[in-house]
Amino acid sequence: MASNFLEWLAETPFLVAFLVIAIPGILISTLGILLVRAFYPSEYRITGTAAHAKINYMAEIYAVMIGLFLVSAFEQYQDMQTTVRNEALALRALSQTAAQFSPEAQGSLFDLIQAYLRTVIDNEWPLLKFGDESQAAQVDLDRIFASIAAAGRYSAEDRGIAIQAQQIAIQVLTRRAERLTNGPGNGDALPNMLSSVLLVLTLVAIALPWFVYTPYAIVHILLGTALVVVFISLITLAVKMLYPFAGELMLQPDDFVAALQTLTDLPKNGSMP
């Protein structure tokens, strides 16, 4: 359940969120333009070049800020895609390494890896939306580490394989930690602060067109509407990419499903097909 503006924006369909924000924004922007034109004398608007330069400068700075925010959100989204895939590939590599253990050393390692995959897919993935996690997944991962340590005690050869398996399991642990820290975080302070900042940015996007000079009211309104639409579209898209496990941009556990299917078909004493 969304607890702030950011989370609401992330889980609401793009078109719905855009219309809910943009329609009132356009109306307020239009009203503000008409009021400014009515109460600010036209001769001042025409000759106030210093004011125009300041407004243009503010608009450029604002556009750069929104652009940087969007680029940063896009990079985080791409990084999370890579993190998810690397975790799934590491689990497949771990299974391939586990297949090299002697039969008595393998124990239930294969079953534990499959249990971890199922827990992530079924239990943890829905919780990732706003940065939560499944304790059961961590328990499965702890059991995998314990099983690897136990397998390394059977022989010198198994000990060498266990070292390799433990290194791969650490990669899984690291990728899971990165996956769990997606978005602004699961605390209240930072998301609430970002929500306030984005609300201010949205209000600025609505107010900026009031002071853009043009001699014709219709052109002024159309220009203001275009600016509001562009800025709100970029803000909405950026917020959605900040939450890669929510909304219509939600990353799916396809790589984990594929890894689970591969592990199901993998013989316990063999190599990766």
Side-chain angles (χ1 to χ4, degrees), residues 44-174:
Y44 289 167
R45 287 188 275 119
I46 295 172
T47 59
T49 54
H52 298 158
K54 292 180 180 179
I55 294 300
N56 290 337
Y57 177 74
M58 290 175 58
E60 290 173 1
I61 295 298
Y62 181 83
V64 170
M65 289 175 56
I66 296 298
L68 291 175
F69 180 48
L70 180 62
V71 169
S72 176
F74 180 68
E75 290 178 348
Q76 291 183 40
Y77 186 84
Q78 285 189 312
D79 289 343
M80 190 53 59
Q81 286 182 307
T82 303
T83 295
V84 168
R85 176 153 296 185
N86 284 341
E87 183 180 357
L89 291 176
L91 286 163
R92 295 180 64 168
L94 179 60
S95 297
Q96 185 176 21
T97 302
Q100 301 174 21
F101 281 118
S102 58
E104 60 274 9
Q106 284 180 4
S108 59
L109 183 54
F110 275 93
D111 295 333
L112 292 174
I113 297 173
Q114 292 181 29
Y116 173 74
L117 281 165
R118 291 192 181 95
T119 301
V120 170
I121 295 169
D122 298 333
N123 299 337
E124 190 163 65
W125 211 266
L127 299 175
L128 293 174
K129 180 165 64 173
F130 297 135
D132 294 324
E133 63 179 289
S134 170
Q135 292 300 322
Q138 184 60 53
V139 171
D140 289 339
L141 200 53
D142 292 340
R143 289 173 178 170
I144 288 174
F145 275 97
S147 181
I148 292 173
R153 300 191 186 101
Y154 279 85
S155 66
E157 183 179 356
D158 288 328
R159 190 175 304 113
I161 298 171
I163 293 174
Q164 298 178 29
Q166 189 172 42
Q167 292 174 344
I168 299 173
I170 291 174
Q171 294 181 28
V172 175
L173 180 66
T174 302

Side-chain angles (χ1 to χ4, degrees), residues 4 6 183-197 243:
N4 54 56
L6 278 180
N186 56 357
D188 293 330
L190 182 58
N192 289 336
M193 183 178 295
L194 284 175
S195 296
S196 301
V197 170
Y243 290 90

Side-chain angles (χ1 to χ4, degrees), residues 247-270:
E248 60 264 61
L249 296 182
M250 172 184 176
L251 296 176
Q252 300 295 331
D254 296 338
D255 292 320
F256 283 79
V257 173
L260 180 59
Q261 183 60 46
T262 301
L263 269 58
T264 302
D265 298 336
L266 179 67
K268 293 188 177 182
N269 288 288

